[in-house]
Amino acid sequence: MSVAVTRAVALRGMSGHLVDVECHLGQGLPAFEIGGLPDTALRQAPQRVRAAALSASCSLSSRQLTVNLSPAAISKHGTGFDLAIAVAALATIGALPAARVRETVHIAELGLDGRLRHVTGVLPAVLAAQQAGCDHVVVAPEDVPEARLVEGVRVSSASCLDELVKAYGVLRGDGVLPEAPAVTTTSAETPRRQVDLADVSGQHEARAALTLAAAGGHHILLNGPPGSGKTMLAERLVTILPPLTREQALETLAVRSLVGDAPQGGLDLTPPFVAPHHSASVAALVGGGSGAVLPGAVSQAHHGVLFLDEAAEFAGSVLQALRQPLESGRVVVARARERITYPARVQLVLAANPCPCGEGFGKGLSCRCRPTERRAYAARLSGPLLDRVDIQVQVPKVSLADLSEAPPDSSAEIAQRVLAARAAQAERWSGLGLTLNSHVPGPLLRRAPWRLPRAVTSSLDRSLEQGHVTGRGYDRVLRLAWTSADLYGRTVPSPSDVGLALMYRTQGAVAA
């Protein structure tokens, strides 16, 4: 057969395009060329495919092969096309049944010894294949658990190319490749909780603020001296968040799959917790890169928590890059040839010291910083960024009395209150397709039937007129007031809820 076709998937961010891998067997001098905008790794596929074919007792060295990746106008990245190219090439020389490989999607890298190797992005690739109408994929053995998470797709595998050739060779009539065996796991689709909020001594106000943030999905700033427990509090936020739904867990796992961080053993329903170092670049935080555009930390924390410890130590450009994702819930990375979109619906937790030396709390008697240094340090967390943070809370040093008191409420107990508050929000906003107060558009809260009476919002109205809060801040205070009401079982916010929200809006700013 002079032309054989099989299928692969070209990923562009979270979305994928079905690609026809066409191989033509021509007359002439031996050659192996690939067209269709391949990247450097893909251009090197002929060497890997030739060596792998020899391991399956099929020589391609004396053939003139031309491979086209259609549609040719879409850029192709990575080594995940190796298996599809090898299958198409072997089908042209009659080593594989061309009719059987035509509608099957092949996703794997090939080793020189013919082994099928793991590639990143298997889950989004299989999801794209399913959406395009394909119901059969072949992947490497390591990628079978990830591929099997997509319902309605039959997953086959082989340890090496020789095994796959023999499996195709025994097919007769309407025979199909056998499905890969199911992988038994002990903790699939179960959340894990390794830490507990009861581990944090004292810090009653910070614990209450963290509960409020969890109940409504609000961003929070923890400001306090070193050793006060800011990191402990942030790490335990995921323990009081509700488990992810299956759809949310699939979205989160798809992002992690793109960066090679997908866990084995089924879906993990615990919200992700991502804490990049303060030396992270803009590309590391929001996504990008010189080659394939990879998701950043804010996308890897999708449906979970993004924790920026020592927030004032991050570069100003890095912090400013967060402003748009926090508002829209997505990241758009623009390049000359393409625009890649990644999801970024996260809860942001910032932790900062009051000054460079960390001792500028209370009366600040131990602080060694000059006033100019403290002002410059405070300015690193810009007003536009803090304007997007709903809760700002002071975290003082722990006292001896705090260490001696009885253990506070556990994460499991607080999680039940958070779950009840979120259920009330989901019921209230179900007609709008929203689930959290923090996602409700501000104009909606200022109009009937959700507009609160003047007597309830009088303190907030006065703060707006005096310039203490912005228009965005006004809406965020309203959202936080609704969350406070839900947490305490009230159907409508009271003046105390609005006052509490307004207090959290401004009290934790980094001291100048």
Side-chain angles (χ1 to χ4, degrees):
M1 188 172 187
S2 60
V3 177
V5 182
T6 188
R7 288 181 162 177
V9 175
L11 289 175
R12 301 180 68 184
M14 291 284 289
S15 61
H17 298 268
L18 207 60
V19 173
D20 286 336
V21 181
E22 306 166 331
C23 185
H24 176 263
L25 177 62
Q27 302 291 330
L29 296 175
F32 200 147
E33 298 180 352
I34 298 178
L37 292 183
D39 68 349
T40 302
L42 190 47
R43 291 194 197 98
Q44 297 171 347
Q47 291 91 328
R48 297 190 295 272
V49 170
R50 279 198 180 105
L54 282 176
S55 70
S57 303
C58 302
S59 176
L60 300 175
S61 301
S62 60
R63 314 282 184 166
Q64 186 187 75
L65 300 171
T66 303
V67 175
N68 179 49
L69 307 176
S70 176
I74 298 177
S75 299
K76 320 297 188 308
H77 303 280
T79 58
F81 290 87
D82 285 6
L83 182 58
I85 293 172
V87 167
L90 294 176
T92 62
I93 65 174
L96 291 177
R100 291 289 172 265
V101 304
R102 178 67 180 83
E103 299 299 325
T104 301
V105 177
H106 297 83
I107 307 169
E109 179 184 331
L110 287 176
L112 297 182
D113 57 356
R115 283 183 297 171
L116 273 63
R117 291 178 172 171
H118 159 77
V119 293
T120 59
V122 168
L123 179 56
V126 177
L127 285 169
Q130 178 207 42
Q131 293 168 3
C134 296
D135 60 359
H136 185 209
V137 299
V138 179
V139 298
E142 299 93 324
D143 296 328
V144 169
E146 194 174 329
R148 288 177 66 90
L149 293 175
V150 182
E151 298 175 347
V153 175
R154 189 163 53 87
V155 180
S156 300
S157 182
S159 61
C160 62
L161 186 60
D162 183 43
E163 181 181 329
L164 185 63
V165 170
K166 291 177 180 178
Y168 270 120
V170 300
L171 298 183
R172 295 291 185 270
D174 296 331
V176 294
L177 285 179
E179 190 169 0
V183 178
T184 57
T185 59
T186 58
S187 59
E189 300 195 12
T190 56
R192 66 182 189 280
R193 299 188 188 275
Q194 299 177 348
V195 293
D196 198 290
L197 199 55
D199 301 334
V200 181
S201 300
Q203 307 300 1
H204 301 290
E205 184 180 1
R207 288 167 55 89
L210 205 68
T211 303
L212 191 61
H218 303 282
H219 308 312
I220 182 172
L221 165 67
L222 302 172
N223 180 41
S228 58
K230 302 187 297 295
T231 301
M232 288 185 67
L233 287 164
E235 290 174 343
R236 284 151 180 77
L237 176 57
V238 294
T239 68
I240 61 175
L241 293 175
L244 301 179
T245 64
R246 178 177 173 81
E247 292 73 19
Q248 291 173 334
L250 278 175
E251 289 180 17
T252 300
L253 183 57
V255 176
R256 297 178 64 182
S257 176
L258 290 172
V259 296
D261 189 34
Q264 297 296 321
L267 286 180
D268 186 356
L269 301 186
T270 302
F273 179 84
V274 180
H277 190 261
H278 61 74
S279 61
S281 65
V282 173
L285 194 64
V286 300
S290 57
V293 179
L294 296 177
V298 68
S299 295
Q300 295 171 42
H302 183 52
H303 291 312
V305 176
L306 176 66
F307 176 46
L308 301 187
D309 198 6
E310 303 294 345
E313 300 296 336
F314 280 78
S317 58
V318 174
L319 294 176
Q320 297 310 311
L322 283 175
R323 289 159 56 179
Q324 182 267 336
L326 292 180
E327 287 291 319
S328 64
R330 60 181 185 148
V331 171
V332 180
V333 182
R335 291 291 183 265
R337 292 177 174 269
E338 58 188 358
R339 289 169 59 89
I340 305 298
T341 301
Y342 287 115
R345 184 65 71 182
V346 301
Q347 260 190 275
L348 177 65
V349 180
L350 301 171
N353 294 328
C355 64
C357 75
E359 299 298 327
F361 62 95
K363 295 182 178 180
L365 299 180
S366 302
C367 181
R368 302 181 301 274
C369 303
R370 294 189 297 270
T372 54
E373 292 176 328
R374 298 186 63 173
R375 284 195 295 269
Y377 192 78
R380 294 183 183 181
L381 296 181
S382 67
L385 177 63
L386 292 181
D387 202 31
R388 291 163 168 81
V389 178
D390 301 341
I391 302 175
Q392 302 177 28
V393 62
Q394 294 282 358
V395 185
K397 279 192 172 182
V398 178
S399 66
L400 182 60
D402 293 331
L403 297 177
S404 304
E405 68 179 11
D409 292 343
S410 66
S411 290
E413 294 170 316
I414 298 175
Q416 291 300 316
R417 299 199 290 269
V418 169
L419 193 62
R422 289 202 172 200
Q425 297 168 50
E427 182 179 359
R428 180 190 306 121
W429 309 118
S430 59
L432 301 174
L434 302 171
T435 57
L436 291 176
N437 290 331
S438 58
H439 300 166
V440 178
L444 183 66
L445 296 176
R446 291 183 267 110
R447 298 172 187 162
W450 308 111
R451 181 175 178 83
L452 299 177
R454 290 282 185 182
V456 175
T457 63
S458 58
S459 59
L460 177 58
D461 296 339
R462 188 163 52 253
S463 294
L464 179 65
E465 292 174 353
Q466 294 174 351
H468 298 317
V469 297
T470 63
R472 180 190 291 114
Y474 188 98
D475 293 338
R476 289 188 174 274
V477 169
L478 289 178
R479 294 178 185 131
L480 191 59
W482 277 97
T483 301
S484 177
D486 292 329
L487 196 58
Y488 292 102
R490 290 186 281 270
T491 57
V492 179
S494 66
S496 63
D497 292 318
V498 175
L500 180 68
L502 187 58
M503 179 198 69
Y504 277 136
R505 180 73 187 166
T506 56
Q507 76 151 350
V510 178

